[in-house]
Amino acid sequence: MKKEETTEHQILDAAKDVFQSKGMDGARMQEIADKAGINKAMLHYYYRSKQLLFEAVFKNAFSLLAPQLNTILNDDSTIEDKIRNFTNDYTTFMMKHPYLPNFIINELHRNEDFILKLKENTGFPNLEKFKSSVDAEINKGILKPIDADQLFVNILALNIFPFLGKPLVKALTKKDEKAYKAFIESRKTEVANFIINSIKQH
Amino acid sequence: MKKEETTEHQILDAAKDVFQSKGMDGARMQEIADKAGINKAMLHYYYRSKQLLFEAVFKNAFSLLAPQLNTILNDDSTIEDKIRNFTNDYTTFMMKHPYLPNFIINELHRNEDFILKLKENTGFPNLEKFKSSVDAEINKGILKPIDADQLFVNILALNIFPFLGKPLVKALTKKDEKAYKAFIESRKTEVANFIINSIKQH
DNA sequence: ACATTTGTTAACCATATGGTTAAACTTATT
DNA sequence: AATAAGTTTAACCATATGGTTAACAAATGT
C-alpha cells in the first residue's frame, strides 16, 4: 500500500483541504471525516484532537513555505538574481497553493505563540546572510542604500499580497478570474522589475 | 443620553472587538454580550442574528477603509504626492486600527459574495481617475511606463502587508513589539521613497 | 490454529452555542 | 393614574460539535 493511501495520510489530506479553506474555527471534524471517507473516530485515533490535527496540517503547510524563503535567503547569487528568481518561483508556487498564504497568516494571527514553536524548528528562515549580501552590494555601489529588513518585507509584500488580498484586488481592479490570473502571471516579471528599478544604482 | 451610551451602540462596539479579533467563526455571542455588559437576548433584539450583527460590524469596518483609498484615487495631486500622502496617512490610520486589514481580507475570503454587496454601495473605490492620471504622467515623461493596476496593487501591498503579516514579519526580522512599531513608523516615508524611486523617470 | 495487537465502526455523551420566550421593568402617551 | 410601547432579563430549547466507548474486524506474531 502506498503512503498516500494510508488512512492516516488520507485524514491529513482531507484536513488540509478543510482547515486551509475554513480555518481552525470554521472547520468541522465531521466534514474532514466525510472528505476522507472514514469514520470520525479515526480522526481521534490517529491525531487525538482537533488541535493536534490542526497543528499537523499547519506544520506541513509551513514546511512548504519555508524552503521558498530559504532559497532567496541562503544561495550565493546577486541580490538582483535572488529577487528575479524568488518573484518568479514564489508566484508559480502560490498559483498552485492559493490557500496557503491566507491560512498561515491567519492562524499565526489567531495564535501568536504558534510561531514560537516554528522558530525552534531547524529550517526556520534566517535573514542574516541576505542582510550581509545587501549591505555588501550597497557598499560596492551596486545598490542604493536601503535597510535590508525593509527590502525583505517589501519583496514579501509585493509577492504575497496579491494572493492574500485576492477578493479585494479582483473587486478593485474589476477583474474576473481569468483576468486576475493573467495579472498574477505578469507579476512574475513585473514585480522583480519594480523592485530592481527602485534599488539599483545607476 | 449620548449615542455612544445606547445599548445598540454598545453592542456594536463590543461586537467589533470580538469579531475583529476572532472572526465570524471564532466569535461567540455570549462573549459579545459580556463585553457589552448586557443580556445575550439583547443582541437578537437589536440585530436579529449573528450574521446580521456581523454584517453591521463588517460594513462599518469597510466604511472606515474605503475613504482611505478614495483619497489617493480621487484627489487632483500628482502621483508622487498621492503616494507620499497615502503611505503616510494609511500607515498612521492602521497603527490605530491594527485588526482592520486582517479582518476585512479574511472575511472577504471566507465569503466572496460579500464584496458584491459592498460594490453596490456608493463610495466603493473606483480606480478610473487614478489610472488616467498615471497614464497622463507616463505620457508626459514624468513616470516610467507601468500598468496602473499593477502600480496600485504594489502601493496597497507595500502598505497593507506589514499589518497583515505582522506575526510573520516580527518573527522573520526578529523584532519585538517596540522594534516592530519603529519599523512600521519608518515605513511611512521609506515605502513612498521605494515606490517613487522605482517609477519616476530621471 | 490461536492469541494479540492494530484498525474501524456505530452509537453515545457532555457541553457549547445560536436563538427564543414569557414575564418584568422602564419610559413615554393620554 | 392608567395604558401602551419599548427595553431588559432569566430560563429555556434544539441542535451542533468535539470527543469517547465498546464491540467488531483485520492483520500480525507464535
Side-chain angles (χ1 to χ4, degrees):
Chain A
M1 190 190 244
K2 292 170 195 166
K3 194 183 168 189
E4 296 82 45
E5 288 168 357
T6 62
T7 303
E8 186 170 355
H9 189 277
Q10 279 177 307
I11 292 173
L12 202 63
D13 223 50
K16 188 198 73 184
D17 275 12
V18 176
F19 278 130
Q20 289 194 11
S21 65
K22 307 203 170 171
M24 171 67 170
D25 293 328
R28 293 293 159 249
M29 294 297 266
Q30 191 60 60
E31 187 181 353
I32 294 171
D34 291 347
K35 192 158 278 184
I38 47 101
N39 188 286
K40 182 161 68 86
M42 289 280 84
L43 303 181
H44 295 94
Y45 180 76
Y46 284 105
Y47 293 93
R48 282 184 59 98
S49 69
K50 186 184 185 186
Q51 178 63 27
L52 287 174
L53 177 54
F54 175 80
E55 288 181 18
V57 169
F58 189 90
K59 280 176 190 161
N60 231 278
F62 198 82
S63 75
L64 284 176
L65 187 69
Q68 299 285 323
L69 297 181
N70 281 324
T71 306
I72 182 178
L73 294 173
N74 297 330
D75 78 356
D76 287 314
S77 55
T78 62
I79 297 296
E80 176 166 353
D81 282 349
K82 280 174 196 277
I83 291 169
R84 292 199 189 282
N85 288 334
F86 177 73
T87 298
N88 184 71
D89 295 354
Y90 183 89
T91 302
T92 304
F93 177 75
M94 281 309 155
M95 287 176 89
K96 288 190 198 120
H97 304 270
Y99 280 114
L100 214 56
N102 263 288
F103 176 64
I104 290 177
I105 289 289
N106 241 310
E107 302 301 333
L108 237 39
H109 226 275
R110 203 179 56 86
N111 180 1
E112 296 221 11
D113 297 335
F114 218 45
I115 205 157
L116 300 175
K117 289 184 193 169
L118 294 174
K119 268 185 177 172
E120 290 162 13
N121 269 319
T122 50
F124 189 85
N126 184 295
L127 296 201
E128 296 314 318
K129 188 170 178 183
F130 175 78
K131 280 191 198 180
S132 52
S133 300
V134 169
D135 291 345
E137 293 200 14
I138 291 170
N139 284 333
K140 283 187 205 153
I142 300 171
L143 301 181
K144 294 180 196 165
I146 186 169
D147 175 62
D149 281 344
Q150 295 280 4
L151 175 57
F152 182 69
V153 169
N154 290 350
I155 295 169
L156 283 189
L158 290 164
N159 279 292
I160 302 181
F161 178 78
F163 295 97
L164 288 175
K166 176 177 172 180
L168 197 61
V169 167
K170 278 175 75 174
L172 288 170
T173 63
K174 293 179 179 162
K175 296 190 193 304
D176 61 16
E177 188 64 25
K178 196 180 161 196
Y180 169 78
K181 281 214 174 109
F183 180 76
I184 294 289
E185 183 66 36
S186 73
R187 285 181 75 80
K188 286 183 185 176
T189 52
E190 286 282 321
V191 164
N193 289 337
F194 185 83
I195 300 168
I196 306 292
N197 262 350
S198 179
I199 62 174
K200 209 169 186 188
Q201 197 74 263
H202 38 224
Chain B
M1 189 189 245
K2 292 169 195 167
K3 193 184 169 189
E4 296 82 44
E5 288 169 357
T6 63
T7 304
E8 187 170 353
H9 189 277
Q10 279 178 307
I11 292 173
L12 203 63
D13 223 48
K16 188 197 73 184
D17 276 11
V18 176
F19 278 129
Q20 290 193 12
S21 64
K22 307 202 170 172
M24 172 66 169
D25 293 328
R28 294 293 158 249
M29 295 297 267
Q30 190 60 59
E31 187 182 352
I32 294 171
D34 291 347
K35 192 159 278 185
I38 47 99
N39 188 288
K40 183 162 67 86
M42 289 280 84
L43 304 181
H44 295 93
Y45 182 76
Y46 285 106
Y47 294 92
R48 283 184 56 99
S49 70
K50 187 184 184 185
Q51 180 63 27
L52 287 174
L53 177 53
F54 174 81
E55 288 181 18
V57 169
F58 189 90
K59 280 177 190 158
N60 230 278
F62 198 82
S63 75
L64 284 176
L65 187 69
Q68 298 285 323
L69 297 181
N70 281 324
T71 306
I72 181 179
L73 294 173
N74 297 330
D75 78 356
D76 288 313
S77 55
T78 62
I79 296 295
E80 175 166 354
D81 282 349
K82 280 174 196 276
I83 291 170
R84 292 199 189 281
N85 287 335
F86 177 73
T87 298
N88 184 72
D89 295 354
Y90 183 88
T91 302
T92 303
F93 176 75
M94 281 309 156
M95 287 175 90
K96 288 189 196 120
H97 304 271
Y99 281 114
L100 214 56
N102 262 287
F103 175 65
I104 290 177
I105 289 289
N106 241 310
E107 303 301 332
L108 236 39
H109 226 275
R110 205 178 56 86
N111 181 2
E112 296 220 10
D113 297 335
F114 218 45
I115 206 158
L116 299 175
K117 288 184 192 168
L118 293 174
K119 268 186 177 172
E120 290 162 13
N121 266 321
T122 50
F124 188 84
N126 183 295
L127 296 201
E128 296 314 316
K129 187 169 180 186
F130 174 78
K131 281 191 197 179
S132 53
S133 299
V134 169
D135 292 344
E137 292 200 14
I138 290 171
N139 284 334
K140 282 188 207 154
I142 300 171
L143 301 181
K144 294 179 196 164
I146 186 170
D147 175 63
D149 280 343
Q150 296 280 4
L151 174 58
F152 182 68
V153 169
N154 290 351
I155 295 169
L156 284 190
L158 291 164
N159 280 292
I160 302 182
F161 178 77
F163 295 97
L164 287 176
K166 176 177 172 180
L168 197 62
V169 167
K170 278 176 74 174
L172 288 170
T173 63
K174 293 179 180 163
K175 296 189 193 304
D176 60 16
E177 187 64 25
K178 196 181 159 195
Y180 169 78
K181 281 212 175 112
F183 180 76
I184 294 289
E185 183 67 37
S186 73
R187 286 181 74 81
K188 286 183 186 175
T189 52
E190 285 282 321
V191 164
N193 289 338
F194 184 84
I195 300 169
I196 306 293
N197 262 351
S198 180
I199 61 174
K200 210 168 185 190
Q201 198 74 263
H202 39 225

